[in-house]
Amino acid sequence: MRLASTAAELPERPREGTRAVVMTMGALHEGHLALVRRANEIAEQVIVTIFVNPLQFNDPSDLERYPRTLEADCALLEAEGVDAVFAPSVEEMYPGGDPVVTVSAGRIGDVFEGARRPGHFDGVLTVVLKLLHLTAPDVALFGAKDAQQVIAVRAMVRDLAVPVRIEAVPTIRDADGLALSSRNVHLSSQDREAALALSRALAAAEAAARNGDPAPDVVRTGMDVLTDATRASAGVAVDYFAALDPRTAHEVPADHRGEAVVAVAATVGGTRLIDNKTVLIDLEGRP
Ligand code: AMP
C-alpha cells in the first residue's frame, strides 16, 4: 500500500477497470471500513484519503480535539488491501492559507447541520471537489450516516457536472444500534447508554411511516422517544428531529409522499451526535 502526501505520489490509474475513492478524516472505524470494502468490491483500485479539513470546522476546539491516528488507520487500510492512502498536509491542500475560491452548498447549506454549523457544507464541498480533482476517481463512496453531506455532494456533482459516480453506503451500527462515529470515543458509558435514544427514536419513526402515518406524525412519534430520553437523562439535549427531502435536505411538507430522510441531531454529555434513517411515507390507506 502506498502512502502519498501529494497527488504526484499516487499510483497510476489502472489500465482497465475503475478507481474508487473513499474520503475520510481518519480515526477509522468499521463504518469507514464498510465504505472501503464496498469500494474494493466495485473497483480495481481503491484510494482512501485522510484529511482533517479545517474548512469544515466552525468550532476551533472541535477541530483541535478531533482524533488523529494516522499510523493505526494505515494498518487497518493495509489489511483491507487498499492501494493507496492519500494523506496531504493542510499546507499541501491549502498553500498560503484558506482558498480564495470555494464551493457553495447553496440552500442545502442553510438548513439543519448547515444552520447549526455555518459554512460547514461549503467547506465539505470545497474539499470534496478538490480531492476529486486530485484523485480523479470513477466512483466516490460516502456514508449514508452523514445524510445531508450525501445530498450536498450529489447536488454538487449534478449541478456542476462533475464527472464522477457517487455511491452511498448504509450506516454501520454497533450491536445496540448506536451509529459508529469517530466522536463516540468522547462518550462515557453513561452517555453511550443515553445516546441509544437516537436510534430508538429513528426506529419508532420508521415504524410510524410503515404504519402509513403522515410526515408530521412520523416526526412526532420519534420526537416523543427523544423527549422521554431528555427527561431521563440531563445530559441529553435534542437539536432537531425532522423528516427531510432527500434531494434538497429541506423539511418535507405535511402531505409528503415518497422517501424522506428522518434525521436527528442531539448533544449527549457534550458530544454532538447525528443519525438518520430513510423511510417511505406512502400514507397507505389514507385519503
Ligand atoms: P468522516 O471521517 O467522519 O468524515 O467519515 C468519512 C466517511 O465515512 C463519510 O462518508 C461518512 O459518512 C462515512 N461514515 C462515517 N461513519 C459511518 C458509519 N457509521 N457507517 C457508514 N459510513 C460512515
Side-chain angles (χ1 to χ4, degrees):
M1 185 181 78
R2 192 175 300 187
L3 175 58
S5 56
T6 66
E9 295 167 280
L10 287 172
E12 298 251 306
R13 293 183 61 85
R15 271 183 197 288
E16 294 195 7
T18 55
R19 171 185 274 190
V21 67
V22 173
M23 297 179 189
T24 79
M25 298 202 297
L28 301 183
H29 51 62
E30 284 290 319
H32 300 109
L33 296 184
L35 270 61
V36 172
R37 287 173 194 145
R38 176 66 186 151
N40 265 326
E41 266 172 32
I42 61 173
E44 277 59 48
Q45 188 182 63
V46 174
I47 297 174
V48 175
T49 70
I50 298 180
F51 180 62
V52 182
N53 175 32
L55 287 191
Q56 70 191 67
F57 286 80
N58 45 331
D59 173 358
S61 71
D62 189 25
L63 172 62
E64 199 167 310
R65 77 173 193 152
Y66 201 86
R68 288 166 172 86
T69 57
L70 183 62
E71 231 173 276
D73 292 346
C74 286
L76 286 172
L77 295 173
E78 176 119 54
E80 294 296 331
V82 163
D83 295 278
V85 171
F86 180 45
S89 64
V90 173
E91 177 57 25
E92 176 68 24
M93 286 295 281
Y94 305 126
D98 286 356
V100 175
V101 175
T102 56
V103 180
S104 164
R107 280 178 298 134
I108 295 170
D110 296 338
V111 289
F112 298 103
E113 284 309 288
R116 275 67 181 183
R117 307 175 65 185
H120 170 69
F121 288 109
D122 297 353
V124 168
L125 292 185
T126 300
V127 80
V128 166
L129 189 62
K130 185 152 189 176
L131 287 170
L132 286 173
H133 286 139
L134 291 171
T135 60
D138 303 290
V139 55
L141 297 93
F142 293 87
K145 155 88 172 23
D146 296 284
Q148 203 172 344
Q149 174 168 284
V150 175
I151 292 170
V153 169
R154 283 195 195 284
M156 174 179 74
V157 165
R158 188 179 64 232
D159 291 350
L160 302 182
V162 183
V164 68
R165 188 164 70 77
I166 302 299
E167 182 168 323
V169 176
T171 302
I172 302 298
R173 301 171 180 283
D174 265 333
D176 57 13
L178 183 68
L180 298 190
S181 162
S182 306
R183 291 194 165 89
N184 291 355
V185 296
H186 300 310
L187 299 173
S188 69
S189 59
Q190 215 175 356
D191 295 339
R192 246 202 81 91
E193 194 56 37
L196 296 181
L198 274 72
S199 52
R200 275 208 315 273
L202 292 173
E206 190 181 33
R210 224 182 270 130
N211 188 41
D213 288 359
D217 293 355
V218 167
V219 168
R220 205 170 305 120
T221 301
M223 194 60 205
D224 285 348
V225 173
L226 283 175
T227 306
D228 286 349
T230 54
R231 287 206 188 102
S233 162
V236 182
V238 182
D239 191 348
Y240 60 78
F241 188 91
L244 319 189
D245 184 306
R247 273 175 74 87
T248 63
H250 282 242
E251 196 157 10
V252 298
D255 61 354
H256 178 78
R257 283 176 193 251
E259 284 197 338
V261 180
V262 180
V264 56
T267 302
V268 180
T271 299
R272 194 161 182 285
L273 301 174
I274 59 169
D275 198 355
N276 71 87
K277 202 159 243 186
T278 296
V279 305
L280 183 64
I281 298 179
D282 57 11
L283 310 181
E284 192 70 42
R286 313 247 166 180

